[in-house]
Amino acid sequence: MQYEAGSYDVIVIGAGHAGCEAGLAAARVGAKTLMITINLDMVAFMPCNPSVGGPAKGIVVREIDALGGEMGKNIDKTHIQMRMLNTGKGPAVRALRAQADKTLYQQEMKNTIENQPNLTLIQGMVERLIVEDDVCKGVITQTGAVYQAKTVVITTGTFLRGEIILGELKYSSGPNNQQPSIRLSEHLEEIGFDLVRFKTGTPPRINSHSIDYSKTEIQPGDDVPRAFSYETTKFITDQLPCWLTYTNEETHQIIDENLHRSPMYSGMIKGTGPRYCPSIEDKVVRFNDKPRHQIFLEPEGRNTQEVYVQGLSTSLPEDVQRRLLASIPGLEKAELMRAGYAIEYDAIVPTQLWPTLETKKVKNLYTAGQINGTSGYEEAAGQGLMAGINASLNALGKEELILSRSDAYIGVLIDDLVTKGTSEPYRLLTSRAEYRLLLRHDNADLRLTEIGHAIGMIKEERYQRFLLKKAAVEAEKERLQSVFIKPTQQVQQLIIEQGGTELKDGIRAADLLKRPEMNYEHIQLLIPSKEQLDAEVTEQVEIQIKYEGYIEKSLQQVDRLKKMENKKIPENIDYDAISGLATEARQKLKQVHPLSVAQASRIAGVNPADVSILLVYLEQGKIARIPQS
């Protein structure tokens, strides 16, 4: 029996990392928003590793914060350890990573959602969408509740027809033995969406009391207070360490002897797994020349003894998992608390989406997170944020937001998905970003805060602080460009102490700072600024001056790309009427429906000759258009 349960601007299905950001973003932009999740106790649950950040991913979290999202604030309040990675390398690859208190992270996010104006959180199972004339107008739950909406965002993670595989055991389930979503997946197929079957996995959890830490290497957090959010002012100082150990020949032998019992190799697992996060059995087979693999022991929180065995992801039978653990130094007597498992689930083919994350097949319907074929909490949260923003802007009759590849890693992520698609769970890597020198951890606010403020996600007080910081950076850069440093004895001695060559003549302070052996603190010793500048300001000054040439070259490339992005392709273009296009290019262009020539050039199977033909037709204005019915 169906009944009318309410009407909203935006409905978000799911409350994982994508759903949380989508719901909060939609409400903050100004839409009346409903979030529906299968289990209220699983809001922002971390079914895999209890951590946030890392290479590329950590920058996404900063971008989420710069736009007004929540993940950075939440991990800052609930982490047990924080580390900056790649500090010995350039600023383009530095990334923050935090270990989360898994339970506290969930509780804090749920509390934030429950106290967000414009946002309602309820428990329920969505089984169908209300679709009329290819327009989504709401959802229907298992209990018959009918919720009307102007826009809907699906963020179902790995719950769509989820199946857990553990050795010879296979059963229908969402992550961590939660109820899966079966009928919604079937309904999406009925509507006409192409679905694929993907797989991911998780390692065993063991009892901390049963670990011999004397046989492992300690991995402490940073002594320097760090945060993901630009709004964080209180820092957690009592951090918990992680620990490092290794597999060995015995571990690998156990795996080799039991490969016939592995669902990956027996044929039980049909879904495609993530290339960049392989199971331990996959690592041993693919890299059989390596005598050992790293295993990180990561606490899951302050008030639990569960330890996540990072690097030992597996779906081998439980008895084999126990033997594997006992073969690893420090884990000889490890008590297994939860066995590792693999999970298969449905995902939609992401080339069925526009860059706004709205589906091409059904208007006003958006998807975000692992349903789009990605892996990782951060990738999910970044998509959720953008889908929530766009669903809200759409519902309120405003222009939607698309981030370009030069704006943010989030832009790279979404463009890759909707333009190239993915044949396996997609993981964001720094190598995927051609403008990674521009997309740094340190400058996410300079890139995105104005956008967040313009759409209503960034409050005025924070925006004014941002403007002050921006002005301070420019003022100090100008000072260093205008002040000359003479080759005095003090100056020459400092340069020699740092391993540089003496000055032959006076030099601008900015040019001296460009020397690899010099940093901003050295310049301050020689020509102190009148005001005490914030560390974030001086960091920006140093990076922007030191890497000025490289940054300028990247910006020139961006300008060239923008000319291609500005060459729009009509939505109803008839590619069959364009002579000269290769057959594969014609097929891919019809499938993706690129919005610009730049996007068309990034489609796999569209070569430079096809792009040239397309450009000629566009410039001559001879494009044939599909007749409107």
Side-chain angles (χ1 to χ4, degrees):
M1 183 73 179
Q2 293 183 5
Y3 71 97
E4 291 294 329
S7 181
Y8 295 84
D9 293 320
V10 180
I11 292 176
V12 177
I13 304 170
H17 302 282
C20 289
E21 294 295 344
L24 288 166
R28 287 169 180 172
V29 170
K32 181 184 177 186
T33 306
L34 174 68
M35 287 178 67
I36 308 176
T37 181
I38 291 174
N39 186 348
L40 284 177
D41 297 328
M42 300 293 285
V43 172
F45 180 66
M46 292 180 164
C48 202
N49 56 320
S51 70
V52 168
K57 294 166 175 276
I59 301 174
V60 168
V61 180
R62 287 280 270 190
E63 291 173 350
I64 290 168
D65 184 74
L67 285 164
E70 196 63 29
M71 179 175 264
K73 297 183 186 70
N74 205 62
I75 190 63
D76 285 352
K77 290 184 280 187
T78 60
H79 68 270
I80 57 177
Q81 187 192 103
M82 190 84 77
R83 291 181 71 189
M84 181 67 80
L85 308 180
N86 299 326
T87 51
K89 299 180 181 178
V93 292
R94 291 174 200 157
L96 200 55
R97 186 177 188 270
Q99 291 297 134
D101 186 312
K102 184 173 171 176
T103 303
L104 194 58
Y105 186 93
Q106 285 181 259
Q107 292 171 345
E108 189 62 35
M109 186 66 86
K110 183 168 181 275
N111 181 57
T112 299
I113 290 167
E114 290 172 342
N115 288 287
Q116 173 64 46
N118 285 337
L119 184 56
T120 301
L121 175 66
I122 65 167
Q123 184 166 293
M125 169 84 77
V126 172
E127 292 192 334
R128 296 184 68 81
L129 305 172
I130 303 169
V131 179
E132 299 173 6
D133 298 323
D134 295 329
V135 177
C136 187
K137 296 187 175 181
V139 304
I140 304 171
T141 70
Q142 188 179 49
T143 58
V146 177
Y147 294 96
Q148 305 290 339
K150 295 176 182 176
T151 56
V152 172
V153 185
I154 304 178
T155 66
T156 45
T158 59
F159 280 79
L160 288 183
R161 273 196 294 228
E163 289 183 307
I164 281 181
I165 303 108
L166 174 53
E168 295 87 5
L169 178 65
K170 184 175 186 177
Y171 57 94
S172 179
S173 175
N176 205 44
N177 290 327
Q178 290 297 301
Q179 187 179 0
S181 177
I182 308 295
R183 292 192 178 177
L184 181 59
S185 191
E186 294 170 349
H187 179 60
L188 290 173
E189 282 185 322
E190 289 169 15
I191 293 173
F193 284 102
D194 293 329
L195 303 182
V196 290
R197 198 77 174 152
F198 279 169
K199 180 218 77 142
T200 188
T202 188
R205 275 72 159 179
I206 57 179
N207 192 313
S208 179
H209 291 315
S210 65
I211 299 171
D212 183 353
Y213 288 107
S214 68
K215 296 181 180 179
T216 66
E217 302 169 31
I218 192 167
Q219 304 286 303
D222 289 347
D223 294 332
V224 180
R226 300 191 188 277
F228 279 101
S229 175
Y230 288 94
E231 293 194 70
T232 295
T233 55
K234 294 181 180 178
F235 298 91
I236 294 172
T237 54
D238 56 329
Q239 301 187 68
L240 301 183
C242 296
W243 306 83
L244 173 64
T245 183
Y246 297 89
T247 62
N248 51 46
E249 189 177 332
E250 182 187 354
T251 317
H252 299 180
Q253 185 176 345
I254 293 169
I255 290 169
D256 286 334
E257 290 171 354
N258 287 278
L259 275 179
H260 65 286
R261 299 182 66 195
S262 166
M264 280 188 60
Y265 292 90
S266 68
M268 184 180 287
I269 290 178
K270 306 295 184 187
T272 306
R275 180 185 314 187
Y276 300 102
C277 189
S279 66
I280 186 63
E281 50 265 45
D282 205 19
K283 281 192 277 191
V284 168
V285 170
R286 283 165 54 189
F287 309 109
N288 56 16
D289 57 321
K290 292 202 170 190
R292 64 180 191 172
H293 294 284
Q294 288 184 325
I295 301 293
F296 288 95
L297 306 176
E298 301 175 346
E300 294 218 323
R302 297 182 188 276
N303 298 309
T304 178
Q305 293 305 312
E306 281 192 77
V307 173
Y308 181 89
V309 188
Q310 169 80 289
L312 206 70
S313 178
T314 184
S315 56
L316 283 163
E318 193 173 296
D319 61 298
V320 179
Q321 291 189 35
R322 291 179 184 274
R323 290 178 60 198
L324 286 180
L325 289 167
S327 71
I328 296 170
L331 308 185
E332 293 89 350
K333 297 181 180 179
E335 295 174 8
L336 181 68
M337 295 182 73
R338 302 185 201 228
Y341 62 84
I343 183 168
E344 282 189 335
Y345 57 94
D346 286 346
I348 76 162
V349 176
T351 51
Q352 298 171 104
L353 306 173
W354 297 114
T356 59
L357 296 180
E358 182 183 23
T359 67
K360 295 171 182 174
K361 191 171 290 293
V362 179
K363 283 183 67 65
N364 299 341
L365 176 65
Y366 299 75
T367 60
Q370 283 185 272
I371 187 177
N372 288 346
T374 58
S375 66
Y377 311 142
E378 304 84 358
E379 289 93 335
Q383 292 174 73
L385 179 82
M386 296 307 297
I389 287 171
N390 284 328
S392 185
L393 291 171
N394 181 352
L396 298 173
K398 299 179 180 179
E399 185 180 350
E400 293 178 71
L401 174 65
I402 297 174
L403 296 178
S404 74
R405 299 180 70 90
S406 58
D407 287 329
Y409 268 101
I410 296 173
V412 173
L413 161 66
I414 293 174
D415 183 69
D416 277 353
L417 290 173
V418 305
T419 303
K420 302 173 184 177
T422 183
S423 58
E424 62 190 36
Y426 176 101
R427 181 179 182 180
L428 195 59
L429 307 166
T430 54
S431 59
R432 297 191 192 272
E434 57 270 53
Y435 306 114
R436 55 187 172 273
L437 187 55
L438 302 178
L439 309 180
R440 307 185 306 273
H441 168 89
D442 62 86
N443 71 347
D445 60 337
L446 296 175
R447 290 184 277 119
L448 300 170
T449 302
E450 289 185 359
I451 296 173
H453 179 255
I455 60 175
M457 293 278 287
I458 297 291
K459 293 180 180 177
E460 191 62 30
E461 182 186 352
R462 175 175 173 179
Y463 183 59
Q464 291 303 320
R465 288 201 308 271
F466 160 75
L467 291 178
L468 288 173
K469 172 187 171 180
K470 191 176 176 182
V473 170
E474 292 305 316
E476 183 63 358
K477 281 170 60 182
E478 286 179 18
R479 184 179 81 92
L480 298 188
Q481 290 285 1
S482 62
V483 175
F484 272 79
I485 294 178
K486 296 178 180 179
T488 64
Q489 184 177 350
Q490 178 199 7
V491 170
Q492 304 289 39
Q493 184 178 345
L494 178 62
I495 292 172
I496 291 168
E497 286 173 358
Q498 301 309 314
T501 56
E502 292 185 352
L503 296 178
K504 295 180 179 178
D505 205 345
I507 188 173
R508 290 181 194 273
D511 291 331
L512 182 59
L513 179 55
K514 287 180 181 179
R515 287 191 172 197
E517 73 274 9
M518 303 298 285
N519 59 37
Y520 182 81
E521 285 69 29
H522 297 141
I523 304 300
Q524 269 291 86
L525 288 173
L526 302 175
I527 51 161
S529 59
K530 294 178 182 178
E531 300 176 22
Q532 181 67 37
L533 296 176
D534 187 84
E536 284 191 359
V537 171
T538 59
E539 178 186 45
Q540 273 309 302
V541 170
E542 180 169 336
I543 290 173
Q544 289 186 27
I545 288 177
K546 267 191 179 297
Y547 297 91
E548 182 182 24
Y550 298 104
I551 291 171
E552 184 59 37
K553 192 175 289 185
S554 293
L555 289 172
Q556 289 171 2
Q557 292 175 335
V558 170
D559 286 339
R560 285 195 292 271
L561 176 72
K562 281 182 178 174
K563 291 176 183 176
M564 295 271 278
E565 294 286 4
N566 290 334
K567 291 186 183 296
K568 301 299 181 186
I569 299 174
E571 191 175 328
N572 60 342
I573 186 173
D574 186 358
Y575 289 108
D576 288 327
I578 304 176
S579 61
L581 284 177
T583 302
E584 183 184 7
R586 197 185 310 276
Q587 291 171 347
K588 293 292 180 69
L589 289 165
K590 287 162 68 175
Q591 177 191 14
V592 175
H593 293 292
L595 299 179
S596 68
V597 174
Q599 188 185 0
S601 71
R602 295 191 291 269
I603 299 172
V606 177
N607 61 43
D610 299 310
V611 174
S612 297
I613 291 168
L614 189 56
L615 275 169
V616 169
Y617 270 72
L618 284 171
E619 286 168 3
Q620 291 180 350
K622 293 181 179 179
I623 287 294
R625 290 171 170 76
I626 298 171
Q628 296 299 303
S629 55

